[in-house]
């Protein structure tokens, strides 16, 4: 595989391969010195045209734990502020001989364009409302590590589906692994067409809450809204927020998930985020190992891995 642009690049077998490889990198991440020489001599650049905390740090940590060199490109302190266009910027970076470009951009499709211009591998770290494949992989990994498999699980993705690249990637990945996915949102926060989406739709959280294996809350992405799509944050919380009271009605073995950043008191209350069934912190921790697996699959030869990583050796 040369690039990871969308979940469909992997399919169910590819997702499974990444998740199995992730187990090895979770083990590496738990070591006193959480580092392997797998990508020594490779360079990974993060090119973020949109704000990010966890995704950017997660990719950079992943690259460093694989012993790759990392470069970070910040739009505000680069020639982009002098008006340099995307293609010139990307070709300049590629000309330096980098091996992977991890890109986040507010416009859908940008990672595909970049992939057509460069020699390096491209990883989509979020393009507009479109896709965020490594988020979907870390979500699958987190669910699988708690529940063994996604097959047959009932998962509700709740909230601002319309503006969410996380929802698009998660739906594809969860459905590929056999889960039954329900989107829970007011009509104004659903995409205009759901044709081809392998989902059910429900407008009332309380209707599905008690039967769920996973409740996945999304942030209200107000920076992407150009008009008022909900009457008020208060009403949104009343109908769709995971309050402590609602968390009390979840099954004892249900999982509470959120991609971050959270708006506490809106889509999720602090008590629910801190509930024993919340795996929100595990999602962040697993994100590093999943991204190690992705970078290793795209760039690694596997030849110089240190023992004991029999699974990695088998992959090589
Ligand atoms: C998400 C994103 O940026 O797409 N965050 C993330 O990557 N963990 C979701 C969001 O911004 O709400």
């Amino acid at each position: 595989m040369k690039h990871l642009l969308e979940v469909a690049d992997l399919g169910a077998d590819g997702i499974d391969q990444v998740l199995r490889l992730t187990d090895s990198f979770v083990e590496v991440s738990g070591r006193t010195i959480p580092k392997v020489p797998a990508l020594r001599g490779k360079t990974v650049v993060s090119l973020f045209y949109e704000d990010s905390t966890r995704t950017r740090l997660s990719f950079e940590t992943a690259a460093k734990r694989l012993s790759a060199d990392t470069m970070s490109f910040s739009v505000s302190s680069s020639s982009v502020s002098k008006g340099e266009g995307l293609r010139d910027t990307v070709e300049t970076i590629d000309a330096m001989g980098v091996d992977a470009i991890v890109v986040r951009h507010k416009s859908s499709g940008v990672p595909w364009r970049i992939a057509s211009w460069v020699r390096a591998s491209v990883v989509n770290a979020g393009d507009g409302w479109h896709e965020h494949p490594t988020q979907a992989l870390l979500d699958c990994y987190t669910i699988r590590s708690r529940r063994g498999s996604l097959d047959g699980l009932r998962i509700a993705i709740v909230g601002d589906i319309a503006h969410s690249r996380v929802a698009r990637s998660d739906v594809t990945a969860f459905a590929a692994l056999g889960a039954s996915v329900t989107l829970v949102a007011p009509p104004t926060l659903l995409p205009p067409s759901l044709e081809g989406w392998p989902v059910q739709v429900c407008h009332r959280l309380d209707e599905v809450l008690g039967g769920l294996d996973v409740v996945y809350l999304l942030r209200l992405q107000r920076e992407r809204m150009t008009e008022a799509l909900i009457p008020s944050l208060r009403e949104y919380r009343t109908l769709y927020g995971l309050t402590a009271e609602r968390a009390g009605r979840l099954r004892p073995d249900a999982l509470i998930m959120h991609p971050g950043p959270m708006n506490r008191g809106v889509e999720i209350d602090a008590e629910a985020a801190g509930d024993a069934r919340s795996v929100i912190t595990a999602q962040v921790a697993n994100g590093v190992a999943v991204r190690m697996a992705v970078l290793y699959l795209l760039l690694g030869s596997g030849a110089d891995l240190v023992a004991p990583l029999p699974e990695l050796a088998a992959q090589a």
Side-chain angles (χ1 to χ4, degrees), residues 64-79:
K64 286 183 201 296
R65 287 189 184 167
L66 293 168
S67 305
D69 295 316
T70 56
M71 292 201 291
S72 181
F73 177 93
S74 163
V75 170
S76 57
S77 61
S78 71
S79 289

PDB file of all heavy atoms in Angstrom, residues 64-79:
ATOM      1  N   LYS A  64       8.255   9.101  15.757  1.00  0.00           N
ATOM      2  CA  LYS A  64       9.460   9.087  16.606  1.00  0.00           C
ATOM      3  C   LYS A  64       9.668   7.719  17.248  1.00  0.00           C
ATOM      4  O   LYS A  64      10.792   7.250  17.371  1.00  0.00           O
ATOM      5  CB  LYS A  64       9.357  10.168  17.687  1.00  0.00           C
ATOM      6  CG  LYS A  64       9.573  11.588  17.143  1.00  0.00           C
ATOM      7  CD  LYS A  64       9.537  12.605  18.268  1.00  0.00           C
ATOM      8  CE  LYS A  64       9.235  14.009  17.797  1.00  0.00           C
ATOM      9  NZ  LYS A  64      10.244  14.584  16.902  1.00  0.00           N
ATOM     10  N   ARG A  65       8.578   7.066  17.657  1.00  0.00           N
ATOM     11  CA  ARG A  65       8.725   5.736  18.270  1.00  0.00           C
ATOM     12  C   ARG A  65       9.205   4.704  17.262  1.00  0.00           C
ATOM     13  O   ARG A  65       9.688   3.640  17.621  1.00  0.00           O
ATOM     14  CB  ARG A  65       7.403   5.285  18.900  1.00  0.00           C
ATOM     15  CG  ARG A  65       7.131   6.044  20.162  1.00  0.00           C
ATOM     16  CD  ARG A  65       5.952   5.498  20.928  1.00  0.00           C
ATOM     17  NE  ARG A  65       5.720   6.352  22.080  1.00  0.00           N
ATOM     18  CZ  ARG A  65       4.639   6.319  22.833  1.00  0.00           C
ATOM     19  NH1 ARG A  65       3.675   5.469  22.549  1.00  0.00           N
ATOM     20  NH2 ARG A  65       4.519   7.129  23.854  1.00  0.00           N
ATOM     21  N   LEU A  66       9.055   5.028  15.980  1.00  0.00           N
ATOM     22  CA  LEU A  66       9.574   4.137  14.932  1.00  0.00           C
ATOM     23  C   LEU A  66      10.955   4.600  14.470  1.00  0.00           C
ATOM     24  O   LEU A  66      11.474   4.104  13.475  1.00  0.00           O
ATOM     25  CB  LEU A  66       8.606   4.112  13.752  1.00  0.00           C
ATOM     26  CG  LEU A  66       7.235   3.476  14.019  1.00  0.00           C
ATOM     27  CD1 LEU A  66       6.272   3.775  12.884  1.00  0.00           C
ATOM     28  CD2 LEU A  66       7.379   1.971  14.204  1.00  0.00           C
ATOM     29  N   SER A  67      11.527   5.597  15.162  1.00  0.00           N
ATOM     30  CA  SER A  67      12.858   6.135  14.860  1.00  0.00           C
ATOM     31  C   SER A  67      12.934   6.893  13.533  1.00  0.00           C
ATOM     32  O   SER A  67      14.024   7.063  12.974  1.00  0.00           O
ATOM     33  CB  SER A  67      13.936   5.041  14.875  1.00  0.00           C
ATOM     34  OG  SER A  67      13.914   4.360  16.100  1.00  0.00           O
ATOM     35  N   ALA A  68      11.800   7.324  13.009  1.00  0.00           N
ATOM     36  CA  ALA A  68      11.836   8.173  11.810  1.00  0.00           C
ATOM     37  C   ALA A  68      12.218   9.594  12.218  1.00  0.00           C
ATOM     38  O   ALA A  68      12.047   9.982  13.371  1.00  0.00           O
ATOM     39  CB  ALA A  68      10.464   8.186  11.144  1.00  0.00           C
ATOM     40  N   ASP A  69      12.759  10.350  11.282  1.00  0.00           N
ATOM     41  CA  ASP A  69      12.940  11.784  11.518  1.00  0.00           C
ATOM     42  C   ASP A  69      11.611  12.462  11.226  1.00  0.00           C
ATOM     43  O   ASP A  69      10.891  12.060  10.313  1.00  0.00           O
ATOM     44  CB  ASP A  69      14.024  12.342  10.581  1.00  0.00           C
ATOM     45  CG  ASP A  69      15.378  11.732  10.900  1.00  0.00           C
ATOM     46  OD1 ASP A  69      15.715  11.628  12.097  1.00  0.00           O
ATOM     47  OD2 ASP A  69      16.083  11.332   9.954  1.00  0.00           O
ATOM     48  N   THR A  70      11.313  13.494  11.994  1.00  0.00           N
ATOM     49  CA  THR A  70      10.029  14.157  11.775  1.00  0.00           C
ATOM     50  C   THR A  70      10.238  15.638  11.477  1.00  0.00           C
ATOM     51  O   THR A  70      11.168  16.262  11.986  1.00  0.00           O
ATOM     52  CB  THR A  70       9.110  14.037  13.009  1.00  0.00           C
ATOM     53  OG1 THR A  70       9.803  14.569  14.132  1.00  0.00           O
ATOM     54  CG2 THR A  70       8.726  12.609  13.282  1.00  0.00           C
ATOM     55  N   MET A  71       9.402  16.145  10.630  1.00  0.00           N
ATOM     56  CA  MET A  71       9.383  17.579  10.349  1.00  0.00           C
ATOM     57  C   MET A  71       7.938  18.010  10.471  1.00  0.00           C
ATOM     58  O   MET A  71       7.025  17.279  10.110  1.00  0.00           O
ATOM     59  CB  MET A  71       9.853  17.878   8.927  1.00  0.00           C
ATOM     60  CG  MET A  71      11.320  17.590   8.692  1.00  0.00           C
ATOM     61  SD  MET A  71      11.918  18.503   7.265  1.00  0.00           S
ATOM     62  CE  MET A  71      11.077  17.711   5.920  1.00  0.00           C
ATOM     63  N   SER A  72       7.780  19.211  10.979  1.00  0.00           N
ATOM     64  CA  SER A  72       6.438  19.677  11.195  1.00  0.00           C
ATOM     65  C   SER A  72       6.274  20.996  10.463  1.00  0.00           C
ATOM     66  O   SER A  72       7.123  21.871  10.544  1.00  0.00           O
ATOM     67  CB  SER A  72       6.244  19.844  12.693  1.00  0.00           C
ATOM     68  OG  SER A  72       4.964  20.278  12.931  1.00  0.00           O
ATOM     69  N   PHE A  73       5.199  21.085   9.730  1.00  0.00           N
ATOM     70  CA  PHE A  73       4.983  22.258   8.908  1.00  0.00           C
ATOM     71  C   PHE A  73       3.830  23.048   9.482  1.00  0.00           C
ATOM     72  O   PHE A  73       2.729  22.533   9.631  1.00  0.00           O
ATOM     73  CB  PHE A  73       4.631  21.781   7.495  1.00  0.00           C
ATOM     74  CG  PHE A  73       4.311  22.880   6.553  1.00  0.00           C
ATOM     75  CD1 PHE A  73       5.298  23.430   5.748  1.00  0.00           C
ATOM     76  CD2 PHE A  73       3.016  23.373   6.450  1.00  0.00           C
ATOM     77  CE1 PHE A  73       4.988  24.436   4.864  1.00  0.00           C
ATOM     78  CE2 PHE A  73       2.715  24.382   5.571  1.00  0.00           C
ATOM     79  CZ  PHE A  73       3.705  24.917   4.775  1.00  0.00           C
ATOM     80  N   SER A  74       4.106  24.277   9.844  1.00  0.00           N
ATOM     81  CA  SER A  74       3.038  25.085  10.417  1.00  0.00           C
ATOM     82  C   SER A  74       2.673  26.188   9.436  1.00  0.00           C
ATOM     83  O   SER A  74       3.522  26.957   8.994  1.00  0.00           O
ATOM     84  CB  SER A  74       3.528  25.657  11.740  1.00  0.00           C
ATOM     85  OG  SER A  74       2.705  26.719  12.104  1.00  0.00           O
ATOM     86  N   VAL A  75       1.415  26.218   9.066  1.00  0.00           N
ATOM     87  CA  VAL A  75       0.968  27.125   8.016  1.00  0.00           C
ATOM     88  C   VAL A  75       1.251  28.584   8.378  1.00  0.00           C
ATOM     89  O   VAL A  75       1.704  29.370   7.550  1.00  0.00           O
ATOM     90  CB  VAL A  75      -0.540  26.908   7.744  1.00  0.00           C
ATOM     91  CG1 VAL A  75      -1.096  27.978   6.834  1.00  0.00           C
ATOM     92  CG2 VAL A  75      -0.752  25.535   7.127  1.00  0.00           C
ATOM     93  N   SER A  76       1.051  28.922   9.659  1.00  0.00           N
ATOM     94  CA  SER A  76       1.166  30.337  10.023  1.00  0.00           C
ATOM     95  C   SER A  76       2.605  30.847   9.967  1.00  0.00           C
ATOM     96  O   SER A  76       2.842  32.027   9.757  1.00  0.00           O
ATOM     97  CB  SER A  76       0.570  30.568  11.400  1.00  0.00           C
ATOM     98  OG  SER A  76       1.225  29.741  12.317  1.00  0.00           O
ATOM     99  N   SER A  77       3.610  29.955  10.127  1.00  0.00           N
ATOM    100  CA  SER A  77       4.988  30.431  10.121  1.00  0.00           C
ATOM    101  C   SER A  77       5.723  30.015   8.843  1.00  0.00           C
ATOM    102  O   SER A  77       6.937  29.993   8.785  1.00  0.00           O
ATOM    103  CB  SER A  77       5.728  29.893  11.349  1.00  0.00           C
ATOM    104  OG  SER A  77       5.744  28.487  11.302  1.00  0.00           O
ATOM    105  N   SER A  78       4.983  29.663   7.797  1.00  0.00           N
ATOM    106  CA  SER A  78       5.625  29.221   6.555  1.00  0.00           C
ATOM    107  C   SER A  78       5.320  30.206   5.429  1.00  0.00           C
ATOM    108  O   SER A  78       4.652  31.214   5.640  1.00  0.00           O
ATOM    109  CB  SER A  78       5.059  27.861   6.162  1.00  0.00           C
ATOM    110  OG  SER A  78       3.729  28.044   5.730  1.00  0.00           O
ATOM    111  N   SER A  79       5.793  29.855   4.237  1.00  0.00           N
ATOM    112  CA  SER A  79       5.540  30.744   3.100  1.00  0.00           C
ATOM    113  C   SER A  79       4.081  30.725   2.645  1.00  0.00           C
ATOM    114  O   SER A  79       3.712  31.468   1.744  1.00  0.00           O
ATOM    115  CB  SER A  79       6.456  30.375   1.930  1.00  0.00           C
ATOM    116  OG  SER A  79       7.769  30.740   2.251  1.00  0.00           O
TER     117      SER A  79
END
